Amino acid sequence: MSNNERNIILIGFRGTLKTTISKLLGNKLKRSVYSTDKIIEEQERKNISSIVEKNGWEYFRDVESKVLSETLGKKNIILDCGGGIILRKENCELIQNSNSFIVLLEANASDIERRISQDMNRVRFNPDISLHQEIESEIQKRKSFYHSVAQAIFNTSTLKKTEIVEMIARQFLQ
């Protein structure tokens, strides 16, 4: 499959700038950008926190898996995946078998906390601990899943957004 048909998939924990980077990358490479979270919110006509509150995480993950499968049928796109998409083995397999360039965006817990702390639509996983502790705990739980599917890894705490976009484009077009 040529690069003209391959997709670029961005994975990573919430607050690692996947949405921002995907939009910048879409502009640079002249590609359509999709977000699993945005598609879910449009289909369900509610934000993610409302979906999870009303129907639970399992329901949300079921919808997320369906959206991932449908969206990966498109060609020549950039896909910004929700942070927990890698928690299901079948999603990891779908991503790995999609003949896409898979990019992991990482950031340190303090930067993630600063980026997401003002967003009231973010669902807490464990409200009994501090947001910082929750972030560190969730990152540790997910790290091996992220790394098992990623083909390139960039840290948004240490690199500028424009640098990351340039490096992704360069690696993808090689």
Side-chain angles (χ1 to χ4, degrees):
M1 190 179 283
S2 74
N3 278 345
N4 289 343
E5 294 180 355
R6 284 181 75 206
N7 297 328
I8 298 173
I9 300 174
L10 299 182
I11 60 171
F13 193 70
R14 55 175 65 175
T16 56
L17 304 179
K18 294 183 306 284
T19 301
T20 302
I21 300 288
S22 66
K23 288 176 184 171
L24 292 170
L25 198 55
N27 288 338
K28 178 169 183 59
L29 297 177
K30 310 280 187 273
R31 287 177 172 237
S32 297
V33 177
Y34 292 84
S35 161
T36 57
D37 286 351
K38 293 264 184 304
I39 294 168
I40 293 166
E41 288 178 339
E42 287 168 12
Q43 286 180 359
E44 297 285 315
R45 294 187 178 91
K46 342 179 149 88
N47 65 28
I48 290 169
S49 59
S50 298
I51 297 166
V52 171
E53 216 171 88
K54 183 176 186 278
N55 304 99
W57 277 110
E58 195 64 26
Y59 174 84
F60 173 78
R61 295 289 177 218
D62 288 343
V63 174
E64 183 179 58
S65 294
K66 184 173 179 276
V67 165
L68 175 66
S69 179
E70 290 168 357
T71 310
L72 286 177
K74 300 178 185 308
K75 301 283 183 247
N76 197 27
I77 66 165
I78 295 168
L79 179 59
D80 157 20
C81 291
I85 209 154
I86 46 74
L87 292 172
R88 285 197 170 171
K89 186 178 185 207
E90 63 265 28
N91 290 346
C92 290
E93 289 170 357
L94 265 175
I95 289 168
Q96 286 176 302
N97 295 326
S98 67
N99 195 26
S100 300
F101 183 53
I102 305 156
V103 177
L104 169 59
L105 297 181
E106 295 183 316
N108 67 46
S110 298
D111 285 338
I112 291 171
E113 181 179 17
R114 182 178 44 76
R115 292 171 186 163
I116 71 171
S117 62
Q118 303 307 311
D119 186 348
M120 294 297 126
N121 288 322
R122 300 272 182 178
V123 185
R124 293 286 307 267
F125 301 110
N126 185 352
D128 298 333
I129 59 176
S130 75
L131 180 58
H132 191 84
Q133 288 172 308
E134 178 184 280
I135 291 166
E136 286 185 334
S137 171
E138 286 297 317
I139 288 172
Q140 282 312 310
K141 277 189 220 169
R142 299 173 183 198
K143 191 172 190 164
S144 65
F145 296 111
Y146 288 134
H147 283 255
S148 72
V149 298
Q151 296 168 324
I153 302 170
F154 300 98
N155 190 311
T156 62
S157 290
T158 58
L159 296 165
K160 293 183 179 127
K161 292 177 264 197
T162 52
E163 291 175 312
I164 294 169
V165 169
E166 289 300 320
M167 288 188 284
I168 293 171
R170 198 172 326 121
Q171 284 188 32
F172 177 70
L173 295 171
Q174 282 180 348

